[in-house]
């Protein structure tokens, strides 16, 4: 067993992605705010743990905080690249548009009706 190559985790399923987006947007101010009123690293760690506890019940396999952060970064990056392709000017994007350009199946159910 020790000599076997490390197997990668399963891809995030739709339910995991929905819960992740929903929870990160709910706690967006705490996680990503800048300036003097921003949260401490300890507070952010607690919020990511809370999100992990919300995602894992619907997860295909147990996720850790680093998995969730990476998935969130990937979602943001993909969103920016869509924005870049639509605007034809691939410079740095303006305000974050996450959620505006995600595919409907990637949005939480409450946000799907608004499209």
């Amino acid at each position: 067993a020790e000599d076997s190559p490390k197997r990668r985790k399963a891809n995030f399923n739709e339910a995991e992605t929905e819960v992740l987006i929903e929870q990160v947007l709910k706690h967006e101010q705490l996680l990503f705010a800048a300036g003097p009123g921003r949260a401490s690293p300890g507070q952010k760690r607690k919020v990511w743990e809370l999100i992990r506890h919300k995602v894992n019940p619907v997860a295909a396999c147990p996720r850790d905080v680093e998995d969730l952060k990476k998935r969130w970064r990937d979602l943001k990056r993909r969103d920016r690249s869509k924005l870049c392709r639509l605007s034809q000017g691939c410079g740095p994007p303006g305000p974050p548009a996450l959620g505006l350009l995600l595919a409907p199946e990637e949005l939480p159910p409450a946000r799907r009706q608004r499209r």
Side-chain angles (χ1 to χ4, degrees):
E2 287 182 36
D3 295 332
S4 65
K6 182 178 177 185
R7 296 181 53 96
R8 69 180 196 86
K9 290 185 177 181
N11 291 342
F12 274 71
N13 62 36
E14 184 179 334
E16 288 173 276
T17 302
E18 281 183 11
V19 173
L20 176 64
I21 291 170
E22 185 179 284
Q23 291 299 310
V24 170
L25 293 177
K26 181 178 176 181
H27 300 287
E28 187 174 27
Q29 186 65 30
L30 261 175
L31 292 171
F32 307 115
R38 69 176 178 242
S40 71
Q43 290 170 313
K44 290 179 183 181
R45 195 173 319 111
K46 286 180 184 175
V47 172
W48 279 110
E49 282 295 327
L50 173 75
I51 293 170
R52 183 178 68 83
H53 286 294
K54 299 275 186 170
V55 169
N56 275 337
V58 297
C61 63
R63 305 292 183 183
D64 57 32
V65 169
E66 288 309 311
D67 296 333
L68 300 177
K69 287 180 179 181
K70 182 180 184 314
R71 176 66 172 158
W72 180 252
R73 283 190 303 269
D74 290 347
L75 287 169
K76 286 193 318 185
R77 179 181 38 80
R78 191 173 68 209
D79 193 44
R80 281 192 202 109
S81 68
K82 283 184 187 179
L83 182 62
C84 178
R85 284 193 303 272
L86 290 174
S87 69
Q88 300 292 327
C90 295
L98 185 66
L100 298 177
L101 299 174
L102 290 176
E105 66 273 5
E106 295 173 324
L107 290 172
R111 295 189 66 173
R112 286 183 197 165
Q113 285 97 20
R114 290 191 233 159
R115 298 192 119 213

